[in-house]
Amino acid sequence: MSVQPVILWTDAALFALLAAALLAIAGVRRDPMRRETWRKVLLRPSAAVSLVLLLAYLVVGLADSVHFRRALPDAGDGQIHYAARVESLLDVALAHLRDTQETTYSAPLATHAFVKDTIEREGRAAGRDYPRLAHGGQHLGEPPAGRAGDLSLRIGLGLLAGGALTGLAWLAVRRHLSPEAAGRRSLMAGLASLGVLLAVVGAVAALAQGYHVFGTDKVGQDVLYLTLKSVRTALIIGVLTTLVTLPIAIVLGITAGYHGGWVDDVIQYVYTVISSIPGVLLIAAAVLMMQVVIETHPEWFETAAERADARLLALCVILGMTSWTGLCRLLRGETLKLRELEYVQAARAFGVGSAAILRRHILPNLMHIVLIALVMDFSSLVLAEAVLSYVGIGVDPNTISFGTMINAARMELARDPAVWWSLAAAFVVMFALVLSANLFADAVRDAFDPKAG
Amino acid sequence: MLAYLIRRVAYAVPILIGVNLITFLLFFVVNTPDDIARMQLGVKRVTPEAIESWKRERGYHLPSFYNGDARGAGRLTETIFFQKSVSMFAFEFGSSDDGRNIAREITGRMGPSLAIAIPTFVLGLFVAISFSLLLAFFRHSALDVGGVVLCVMMMSISSLFYIIFGQWLVAKVWQLVPISGFSGGLDAARFLVLPVLIGIVAGLGSSARWYRTLFLEEIHRDYVRTARAKGVSEPVVMFRHVLKNAMIPILTGVVVAIPLLFMGSLLIESFFGIPGLGSYTIEAIQAQDFAVVRAMVFIGSLLYIVGLILTDLSYTVVDPRVRLQ
């Protein structure tokens, strides 16, 4: 079957960034100084645990960033037409979850719907009861029998598979686990978290073949599917925004600090103006205007996915344009200090040009600030996405994200009995992502800037 | 001192002009009033007459910067820039899309916003300082490590979770307070307890961790070591020396937020149905009422600049070595 690859703007940016990150890692491996600092980061067990989790999120996010359109069945005119729907690799992997849609709410692992409905029974009058789900627990037969046994069997199998994979990982790294090795504790912690992760994934995967593990939402969509799709949006916002922030902050910060004089005054004026507008309001104003641009130019976008993607990218740009001021101020201050150091003065006395001084002496000594800001901002951006989408100035309403999930489910706890699973799934998966990002950021900060508490 | 103050206020004017220019660019240049009218009236099936009358109702039919048709000063004043942007300096914000006067609406809504924001700010500061002092007192013990882990976990939870879960647990399951609403006078306390509590809990993690760092920094200073060497007991060292000196960065750091308390809290007010400025802003954003959003941007920046000036003044109050000139 032929497919047509679709490269969305955010996909391209994400993969370009991934390539840059891999290049940077290769660079670190060659440089003993930087390798030592990164070793210090990874020697911390909490950093190892969070790295495992972050990589798992990254895998989900990257799988969801390879997009394509399937070919439609031959219409007989000899040309290949492609479906309007844009799919990703993750969609293919989760096709089972996406296509087993129920009609409305159902609790996690349920066999019957959550709300009563009128049911026609053969030979009897129609009555109101909980209808049987079209997909959840369908393999148990009618009426469903042996659910408890089936559930434990699946969980057991899943745990076994996860355990076996962990065992393989242990065999692969066993020689690094000698009691005197420095990284032993951290490696053990990483391995343990990998074990827990694989066991959970195994159990969930085994259950998901026959049930809706996290239940279904109002229109009967599988909540597990929605949660996994949200990961990409969170990663894009957290990563691409800093990509917009960094060049502005670095160029303006260094220029202001190194040149001084009226250039410094102008740059300070600009960032004071921008930082004096309350963040949410500036973002709201920019997003409202961006919406008008997108609404009035429907001809720019071929598919709905491209339109939603343009909005996501625009949101990243807006968040970046409004949040560079803090980093810019830090870099300006640090450059002011570096400029007066003896070796920079000496370089200038020897007649080294400004560009060379900036490249050789100033920029490398600022990189730790940039790196720390990058990892520290990630978690706050993931949290901000949820709030902005709730306010209505976040991602496109059709883009699946933690914010749109929470927004759609916010009245569900007010129902009686309460529908808790959509909110719980979104909050727990977001919490794990933000917590691991925070722990990793702390380890990075402590290793690169030991003075900051 | 007075001269410094006058200079700072004078410096605030170009910044406010900058803010004004940015909002003007965003709202009237990136999209022309025609685009906005077309979007508000529905993109398809819209007649030029409908757009013209929509613009005339709101005063958007004027030219942007220079009105060649008017006479004298009217060439500059009868423009969108003068009527919509310059007039903000006189606190004239015009009327919102539902025809109400924005300035009057804002003064009326400040009360409920402050009723939530002030208790949240004061109590939140108190709780965070007490908690971080406790952690610093038992530094590097199991309590301290557990407390820091708790702080990081609390920082990692979405503020939406605190609100949605707190409202569900306290108001629906335990039925201790009304789910949402507001009333004037003493009766308001019933409605305010839960939002204030949630506001405190939601902000505790990050501030307590930051204050703990400040306390620890202070503990390692020479004068503290001297005090201990003289035989001063640990509680006296903590309360008389460390607490007092660490309060300087803490208090000067929060001063900038005080004027912004007027703006209220976006999320909490909208979830609890409190008729303050936060819910006003959120409703305006959702209804795409651009006049209100512009007014709130202006007021927000004004309050922030006031906060910056107050911060500088507070340095001279707490630290006599700082001289402003």
Side-chain angles (χ1 to χ4, degrees):
Chain A
M1 186 162 121
S2 70
V3 293
Q4 178 192 41
V6 176
I7 299 174
L8 299 175
W9 282 103
T10 49
D11 296 342
L14 194 63
F15 281 105
L17 207 61
L18 184 72
L22 291 178
L23 274 179
I25 290 174
V28 167
R29 286 176 69 96
R30 279 198 305 271
D31 177 354
M33 281 277 284
R34 284 192 288 163
R35 202 165 64 186
E36 193 45 43
T37 323
W38 277 106
R39 230 171 73 85
K40 228 191 285 173
V41 173
L42 292 178
L43 277 181
R44 196 187 266 207
S46 70
V49 173
S50 46
L51 187 66
V52 168
L53 262 176
L54 287 175
L55 286 177
Y57 278 103
L58 188 66
V59 167
V60 174
L62 288 179
D64 202 9
S65 297
V66 182
H67 287 100
F68 54 84
R69 287 158 72 180
R70 286 173 198 262
L72 291 173
D74 198 353
D77 55 1
Q79 281 180 331
I80 304 174
H81 294 275
Y82 292 96
R85 188 171 72 171
V86 177
E87 288 177 281
S88 72
L89 278 186
L90 188 77
D91 286 321
V92 176
L94 301 177
H96 173 70
L97 294 182
R98 186 189 56 192
D99 299 335
T100 55
Q101 193 161 349
E102 309 290 346
T103 49
T104 182
Y105 291 120
S106 69
L109 305 174
T111 53
H112 289 86
F114 186 70
V115 280
K116 286 188 178 178
D117 200 2
T118 312
I119 298 174
E120 302 280 345
R121 291 195 191 81
E122 271 178 59
R124 276 181 291 171
R128 284 186 69 77
D129 202 352
Y130 299 106
R132 186 80 168 83
L133 290 182
H135 303 282
Q138 206 39 251
H139 58 289
L140 296 175
E142 198 63 43
R147 176 165 164 269
D150 185 55
L151 287 180
S152 28
L153 181 71
R154 281 166 188 270
I155 293 177
L157 279 176
L159 291 180
L160 263 182
L165 282 175
T166 317
L168 284 179
W170 180 76
L171 283 178
V173 298
R174 197 175 42 164
R175 58 195 180 82
H176 298 292
L177 280 173
S178 57
E180 61 272 18
R184 185 168 181 275
R185 276 187 61 211
S186 164
L187 202 55
M188 287 296 280
L191 212 52
S193 53
L194 184 70
V196 173
L197 184 73
L198 285 176
V200 170
V201 169
V204 167
L207 287 171
Q209 296 304 316
Y211 302 90
H212 299 291
V213 185
F214 291 166
T216 54
D217 71 353
K218 189 173 183 181
V219 291
Q221 272 181 302
D222 189 283
V223 173
L224 176 61
Y225 173 73
L226 295 178
T227 332
L228 288 174
K229 290 287 280 181
S230 302
V231 171
R232 174 179 184 263
T233 317
L235 290 182
I236 295 264
I237 298 238
V239 172
L240 290 198
T241 300
T242 34
L243 193 66
V244 179
T245 314
L246 290 187
I248 309 177
I250 292 176
V251 170
L252 292 184
I254 293 181
T255 315
Y258 191 76
H259 281 280
W262 67 271
V263 179
D264 188 21
D265 288 339
V266 169
I267 292 175
Q268 277 200 66
Y269 171 74
V270 171
Y271 74 59
T272 315
V273 167
I274 291 187
S275 62
S276 74
I277 304 176
V280 181
L281 282 169
L282 185 55
I283 294 167
V287 170
L288 288 180
M289 288 306 116
M290 180 258 299
Q291 271 174 353
V292 177
V293 172
I294 288 183
E295 295 272 329
T296 45
H297 297 279
E299 71 279 1
W300 289 353
F301 311 105
E302 205 179 321
T303 57
E306 279 174 30
R307 204 176 114 129
D309 183 70
R311 218 185 129 163
L312 183 61
L313 189 69
L315 182 65
C316 291
V317 173
I318 289 171
L319 281 170
M321 298 290 280
T322 52
S323 61
W324 55 270
T325 53
L327 180 60
C328 181
R329 183 176 299 154
L330 277 180
L331 291 176
R332 172 183 168 270
E334 194 67 20
T335 313
L336 274 177
K337 252 189 272 168
L338 290 174
R339 192 179 64 166
E340 303 304 327
L341 291 184
E342 280 90 356
Y343 65 86
V344 180
Q345 301 283 5
R348 206 175 297 145
F350 282 132
V352 182
S354 282
I357 291 181
L358 286 179
R359 200 182 63 238
R360 217 176 294 156
H361 300 300
I362 307 276
L363 199 57
N365 286 311
L366 293 173
M367 279 334 267
H368 69 284
I369 298 182
V370 173
L371 183 77
I372 293 170
L374 202 147
V375 288
M376 296 290 248
D377 282 353
F378 177 83
S379 51
S380 54
L381 285 167
V382 173
L383 290 176
E385 185 275 325
V387 172
L388 293 179
S389 296
Y390 168 79
V391 180
I393 48 175
V395 298
D396 188 87
N398 296 319
T399 306
I400 303 172
S401 79
F402 294 124
T404 46
M405 270 181 82
I406 294 168
N407 194 16
R410 65 185 150 141
M411 299 310 287
E412 288 177 357
L413 282 184
R415 292 171 63 105
D416 210 24
V419 174
W420 50 270
W421 45 87
S422 315
L423 283 173
F427 279 129
V428 167
V429 176
M430 191 160 76
F431 172 67
L433 174 62
V434 175
L435 182 63
S436 37
N438 272 335
L439 290 175
F440 193 71
D442 281 355
V444 169
R445 190 195 53 189
D446 291 350
F448 281 82
D449 189 10
K451 277 172 297 184
Chain B
M1 183 75 176
L2 189 70
Y4 174 80
L5 205 61
I6 292 173
R7 227 153 33 89
R8 279 307 301 262
V9 172
Y11 184 59
V13 174
I15 292 177
L16 276 177
I17 292 176
V19 169
N20 232 321
L21 276 176
I22 288 185
T23 36
F24 184 80
L25 280 177
L26 270 174
F27 282 93
F28 295 109
V29 180
V30 174
N31 293 286
T32 60
D34 285 55
D35 289 333
I36 298 171
R38 212 168 291 136
M39 159 132 153
Q40 297 243 325
L41 301 168
V43 177
K44 286 158 196 155
R45 285 193 299 278
V46 54
T47 60
E49 294 79 38
I51 291 181
E52 199 48 46
S53 77
W54 186 92
K55 277 160 61 181
R56 195 163 287 278
E57 260 172 41
R58 287 164 180 74
Y60 294 162
H61 61 290
L62 299 166
S64 293
F65 289 105
Y66 182 77
N67 191 346
D69 299 338
R71 289 155 182 276
R75 285 171 187 246
L76 290 176
T77 56
E78 280 179 32
T79 57
I80 296 184
F81 182 70
F82 188 84
Q83 303 213 334
K84 300 294 171 193
S85 280
V86 180
S87 65
M88 285 203 193
F89 285 96
F91 295 103
E92 276 170 24
F93 301 118
S95 52
S96 57
D97 277 352
D98 57 7
R100 293 195 207 174
N101 185 297
I102 296 176
R104 197 177 308 135
E105 196 81 359
I106 287 174
T107 37
R109 281 169 175 265
M110 273 184 184
S113 273
L114 286 177
I116 298 246
I118 290 179
T120 311
F121 177 77
V122 175
L123 291 175
L125 196 60
F126 178 75
V127 172
I129 290 177
S130 317
F131 185 58
S132 53
L133 193 64
L134 182 80
L135 296 186
F137 194 86
F138 295 102
R139 56 192 169 279
H140 309 310
S141 70
L143 180 79
D144 180 33
V145 175
V148 173
V149 170
L150 184 73
C151 283
V152 176
M153 290 177 77
M154 287 177 78
M155 281 163 67
S156 307
I157 295 175
S158 167
S159 51
L160 289 166
F161 175 80
Y162 288 112
I163 299 174
I164 295 178
F165 183 75
Q167 203 174 25
W168 173 76
L169 189 70
V170 180
K172 195 189 161 208
V173 178
W174 295 343
Q175 305 207 327
L176 295 177
V177 292
I179 286 182
S180 69
F182 187 75
S183 74
L186 278 178
D187 194 36
R190 276 191 313 134
F191 294 101
L192 294 184
V193 174
L194 186 57
V196 168
L197 193 73
I198 289 176
I200 293 171
V201 173
L204 183 61
S206 54
S207 44
R209 198 169 87 128
W210 170 235
Y211 299 161
R212 174 185 168 275
T213 322
L214 294 177
F215 280 128
L216 289 186
E217 214 167 86
E218 210 60 37
I219 282 174
H220 293 302
R221 285 188 199 271
D222 287 342
Y223 74 90
V224 176
R225 197 163 3 136
T226 313
R228 281 214 200 93
K230 287 192 331 192
V232 179
S233 70
E234 188 66 20
V236 177
V237 168
M238 286 302 277
F239 283 97
R240 187 160 311 152
H241 297 294
V242 175
L243 176 63
K244 241 179 167 176
N245 283 300
M247 285 304 273
I248 294 175
I250 293 179
L251 288 184
T252 47
V254 297
V255 165
V256 70
I258 292 176
L260 286 172
L261 293 179
F262 282 100
M263 299 285 284
S265 156
L266 232 51
L267 290 179
I268 288 188
E269 284 182 17
S270 100
F271 266 96
F272 287 95
I274 288 153
L277 282 179
S279 52
Y280 189 50
T281 312
I282 230 174
E283 282 160 23
I285 292 172
Q286 282 167 351
Q288 308 205 335
D289 192 330
F290 298 121
V292 178
V293 176
R294 273 206 323 271
M296 296 310 290
V297 167
F298 184 78
I299 293 179
S301 347
L302 184 69
L303 292 173
Y304 178 79
I305 293 168
V306 172
L308 286 183
I309 297 176
L310 287 180
T311 307
D312 281 352
L313 292 182
S314 70
Y315 281 123
T316 58
V317 176
V318 294
D319 190 346
R321 285 171 303 180
V322 179
R323 286 271 170 277
L324 302 176
Q325 43 203 300

